Amino acid sequence: MTSASDSIVVIRHDVECVTAEKHYTPCGTAGGKRLIAAGTTASLGHSPLPLDITVDEDVAVPMRDGVVVYADIYRPAHATELIPAILQVGPFGKNGGPNKHNFNKWPWRFGCPKIATSGLEGFEALDPAYWCLHGYAIVCVDTRGTWKSTGNVAGFSKKEGEDNYDVIEFLADLPWCNGKISMAGNSYLAITQWFTGAEQPPHLACLAPWEGMSKEVFELRSLPGATLVRISKTMCCYLRRPD
């Protein structure tokens, strides 16, 4: 329900009724730490935040070969104990990127109305509002060679698994973290988990790959020919750096 003042009143089953008159915009290239207050909406039509969330934007994470990848970290602002983190790694833009709005192009948004999410979620990624409410930090990372992250693209490879290993161990040492890191996400964000698990990071607690294309990944990495060419061309469309 929207009034002339752009105030949104939402009733959710898991939180109290809240009124939102504030809107959150990521810092972009500025980085730094921000507090998003409870009741804030990411965009019109999405659900207001049920709690205060601290966002650490553009956190620089060093890789073993000198490359630096960048992360946005969402965590409950008033946590009273150390918390676990859920890591999401992909090339689509850690704060959503252009693909974030693809849902709006399809009828009924694939059965996921705007009001069901906060709008902070990235493409194929988890909603920080839901998981922060349940005591987790959400960490969104741009893979090497995409967006601001340095280096050359190494998607679906041992190198990407090593990068994710380094991110996991970096997160485990942060002062708010209890040392337990999981990974989650759909499609690309799922496929990259196979390569991460193979590296066996000490602080990796679990993997949650959705639609991880295990058969297709095997063919991509193991069989020569048209499959590799076709998928490589598709990935190049996603991994191109913005000018």
Side-chain angles (χ1 to χ4, degrees):
M1 181 173 65
T2 306
S3 70
S5 63
D6 197 27
S7 176
I8 305 170
V9 179
V10 178
I11 298 177
R12 292 176 53 177
H13 296 295
D14 55 341
V15 296
E16 296 180 357
C17 179
V18 293
T19 300
E21 296 179 344
K22 300 160 287 186
H23 294 272
Y24 168 69
T25 303
C27 285
T29 58
K33 180 180 293 186
R34 305 182 74 182
L35 176 69
I36 316 177
T40 302
T41 56
S43 62
L44 187 64
H46 284 283
S47 181
L49 296 186
L51 77 167
D52 294 344
I53 294 179
T54 296
V55 187
D56 302 308
E57 295 182 323
D58 287 336
V59 176
V61 185
M63 303 292 98
R64 64 189 68 181
D65 62 355
V67 162
V68 176
V69 300
Y70 287 88
D72 288 348
I73 302 174
Y74 301 81
R75 49 196 175 89
H78 307 299
T80 57
E81 57 187 9
L82 299 180
I83 60 174
I86 303 175
L87 173 63
Q88 307 173 124
V89 181
F92 306 115
K94 55 185 169 54
N95 62 6
N99 286 316
K100 181 174 182 176
H101 304 290
N102 280 353
F103 271 115
N104 298 327
K105 301 176 183 178
W106 292 88
W108 309 291
R109 286 174 48 88
F110 292 111
C112 182
K114 280 187 175 182
I115 201 63
T117 65
S118 70
L120 292 180
E121 69 280 357
F123 182 62
E124 300 181 333
L126 279 62
D127 186 353
Y130 177 88
W131 291 97
C132 286
L133 182 64
H134 288 80
Y136 294 85
I138 291 292
V139 182
C140 308
V141 175
D142 289 333
T143 57
R144 66 166 57 213
T146 67
W147 303 88
K148 291 181 67 177
S149 295
T150 64
N152 296 320
V153 171
F156 302 166
S157 69
K158 177 177 175 60
K159 173 55 69 177
E160 186 164 271
E162 292 173 347
D163 286 351
N164 295 344
Y165 178 115
D166 293 346
V167 173
I168 288 169
E169 296 309 300
F170 174 89
L171 294 173
D173 284 337
L174 294 180
W176 51 262
C177 185
N178 69 0
K180 294 183 178 180
I181 316 296
S182 66
M183 295 186 72
N186 183 68
S187 191
Y188 190 108
L189 281 65
I191 295 168
T192 190
Q193 295 179 48
W194 305 129
F195 299 97
T196 308
E199 300 301 319
Q200 301 185 42
H203 290 93
L204 177 62
C206 73
L207 301 175
W210 308 323
E211 298 180 334
M213 296 175 62
S214 56
K215 178 177 181 293
E216 289 81 356
V217 170
F218 169 77
E219 293 177 349
L220 171 64
R221 302 308 302 175
S222 305
L223 302 178
T227 300
L228 177 60
V229 173
R230 183 169 61 253
I231 297 180
S232 295
K233 287 182 177 179
T234 301
M235 291 309 302
C236 284
C237 295
Y238 286 112
L239 301 179
R240 188 179 297 116
R241 277 182 180 274
D243 294 328

